[in-house]
Amino acid sequence: MANKLVIKVTAGADAPERCSQAFTVAAVAAASGVEVSLWLTGESSWFALPGRAAEFELPHAAPLPELIGSIQANGKITLCTQCAARRDITEKDTLEGVRIAGAQVFVSEIMPEGVQALVY
């Protein structure tokens, strides 16, 4: 079994089911005691901003703000450097605890033995 789960979510409101699945898997894993690192890229980058997750709706899915809270309580959330720059998002704009980091950090997280990486 993997010791750590790294999830990269590329989808946002443009692909709500895929987006919700990524956040749900991350939250469930984190609540189960798995070390979780969730990476926001592409359209999911917007969810690094306060209030944006509350705008997301998907029938029969857990509310995104609750999933984010669970992930933050038990794991970490990272916003892609390039994705943030393309959207003029800085660290001072993001939810508390969200870091901004790039591909080098992502690769360093996924390469060690015992890490499972998923991309949604």
Side-chain angles (χ1 to χ4, degrees):
M1 184 168 161
N3 299 323
K4 181 176 182 178
L5 181 60
V6 180
I7 298 175
K8 180 183 275 194
V9 55
T10 62
D14 59 325
E17 288 184 307
R18 190 163 32 113
C19 175
S20 180
Q21 290 170 358
F23 281 91
T24 300
V25 168
V28 168
S32 299
V34 176
E35 183 182 352
V36 173
S37 176
L38 179 71
W39 282 72
L40 305 177
T41 67
E43 286 302 300
S44 72
S45 299
W46 295 114
F47 298 126
L49 298 175
R52 292 301 285 265
E55 298 171 4
F56 180 86
E57 293 184 15
L58 182 63
H60 310 291
L64 208 53
E66 290 179 21
L67 296 174
I68 290 172
S70 178
I71 296 163
Q72 286 183 308
N74 301 297
K76 65 182 170 187
I77 297 178
T78 304
L79 172 59
C80 163
T81 301
Q82 290 181 14
C83 300
R86 281 189 281 274
R87 290 161 181 81
D88 294 320
I89 300 172
T90 65
E91 223 163 81
K92 67 177 176 44
D93 301 320
T94 65
L95 295 166
E96 186 175 333
V98 172
R99 71 176 176 167
I100 297 178
Q104 181 181 5
V105 176
F106 179 78
V107 170
S108 73
E109 282 194 19
I110 65 169
M111 292 309 296
E113 193 162 328
V115 177
Q116 174 69 51
L118 302 173
V119 178
Y120 286 87

